[in-house]
């Protein structure tokens, strides 16, 4: 059984779900998704023809070699043979706060650095990228540390590197399009979280915050609720990521937010029956990556 940590802790979560049909031969029709969270590696296989997830693994990072991505990924490939299979495409998803959202109507590729510096200081140690978000009608501008990019492409030369905000926002905008009341979507990582507020088919707010304790998390959520004119007693807050119903963090949040739900899986995809054994909202970002294709 996986260890159940409190939100914000450093205790890793481990899951290993594999459909009977997934193997070295069938992987060639699959997309491989890898995600690097704060202290966690996650990888999943998605059959693009059947629109079905067949594999998901999550496991802790080796803290002794963090930032040596070539060595770290070498170890991962030695431990998980399916990382060496042949895939149709490979997407590497990173989760951090260094991203800026720009309306598509205002976006000019030559101003990438200017957009990024509206919210984050740029350094030459970073390379800047952008991703078009069709459902959000926005461009996501984000940084990838060069040593990370080099480590990824050493092992996966053709990998696409995308920021976790992209699948989070596309899944957010795919939800409840006809809902007139505002909806808040919160994705919780172990040291930071992202939040989006939408009304109907309009994205009204997106932001990220770093936190250390559950009271930090509560403070920022109340702050955003006030700024976005949400009613914590009536409006619905969808949570994904590392939040447990039977935890002190959930109990604290429920004192202030009366309508909390866990983000359901994207309903446009299929999932192996084996996925019923895990709390799917933990991996909502990974399961939303096909929305960015």
């Amino acid at each position: 059984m996986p260890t159940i940590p409190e939100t914000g802790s450093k205790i890793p979560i481990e899951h290993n779900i594999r459909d009977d049909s997934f193997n070295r031969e069938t992987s060639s029709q699959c997309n491989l998704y890898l995600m690097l969270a704060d202290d966690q590696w996650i990888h999943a296989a998605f059959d693009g023809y059947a629109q079905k997830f067949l594999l998901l693994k999550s496991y802790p990072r080796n803290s002794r070699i963090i930032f040596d991505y070539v060595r770290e990924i070498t170890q991962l490939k030695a431990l998980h043979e399916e990382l060496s299979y042949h895939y149709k495409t490979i997407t590497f998803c990173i989760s951090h706060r260094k991203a800026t959202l720009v309306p598509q109507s205002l976006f000019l590729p030559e101003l990438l650095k200017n957009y990024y510096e509206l919210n984050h200081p740029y350094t030459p140690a970073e390379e800047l990228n952008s991703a078009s978000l069709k459902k959000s009608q926005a461009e996501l501008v984000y940084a990838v540390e060069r040593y990370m990019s080099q480590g990824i492409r050493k092992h996966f030369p053709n990998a696409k590197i995308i920021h976790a905000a992209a699948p989070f926002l596309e899944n957010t905008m795919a939800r409840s399009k006809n809902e007139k009341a505002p909806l808040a979507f919160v994705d919780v990582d172990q040291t930071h979280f992202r939040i989006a507020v939408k009304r109907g088919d309009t994205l009204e707010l997106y932001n990220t915050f770093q936190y250390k304790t559950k009271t930090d998390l509560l403070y920022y959520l109340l702050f955003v609720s006030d700024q976005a004119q949400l009613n914590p007693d009536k409006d619905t807050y969808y949570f994904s990521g590392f939040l447990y119903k039977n935890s002190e963090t959930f109990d604290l949040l429920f004192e202030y937010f009366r309508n909390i739900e866990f983000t359901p899986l994207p309903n446009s995809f299929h999932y192996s029956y084996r996925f019923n054994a895990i709390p799917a909202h933990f991996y909502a970002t990974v399961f939303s990556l096909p929305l960015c294709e």
Side-chain angles (χ1 to χ4, degrees), residues 103-139:
Q104 282 181 339
S105 59
L106 302 177
F107 180 77
L108 295 172
E110 61 268 26
L111 297 180
L112 207 64
K113 184 170 178 285
N114 301 69
Y115 298 134
Y116 181 75
E117 290 184 324
L118 290 172
N119 294 311
H120 309 283
Y122 169 77
T123 72
E126 298 170 326
E127 60 179 53
L128 297 181
N129 298 268
S130 66
S132 296
L133 308 183
K134 296 178 181 179
K135 293 181 174 58
S136 306
Q137 298 182 22
E139 290 283 332

Side-chain angles (χ1 to χ4, degrees), residues 146-242:
R146 293 188 188 277
Y147 63 82
M148 177 187 291
S149 175
Q150 292 166 0
I152 293 170
R153 293 201 166 97
K154 173 75 173 178
H155 289 279
F156 305 106
N158 298 317
K160 174 184 177 182
I161 303 176
I162 195 168
H163 192 278
F168 167 71
L169 288 168
E170 292 296 81
N171 188 37
T172 292
M173 297 310 297
R175 297 285 169 189
S176 307
K177 294 182 179 180
N178 299 320
E179 179 66 55
K180 294 182 179 180
L183 299 173
F185 293 80
V186 185
D187 187 46
V188 182
D189 211 327
Q190 292 176 324
T191 62
H192 66 279
F193 72 93
R194 51 188 64 90
I195 181 169
V197 177
K198 62 171 288 191
R199 280 181 172 84
D201 59 357
T202 301
L203 178 65
E204 294 196 344
L205 179 149
Y206 168 73
N207 209 341
T208 61
F209 297 90
Q210 192 165 354
Y211 75 98
K212 292 184 178 179
T213 67
K214 57 182 178 290
T215 52
D216 292 340
L217 179 62
L218 172 63
Y219 170 82
Y220 288 122
L221 288 174
L222 289 172
F223 171 76
V224 171
S225 298
D226 181 65
Q227 294 295 307
Q229 298 182 328
L230 299 175
N231 185 335
D233 290 325
K234 296 182 178 180
D235 294 327
T236 303
Y237 291 73
Y238 288 94
F239 280 83
S240 59
F242 301 115

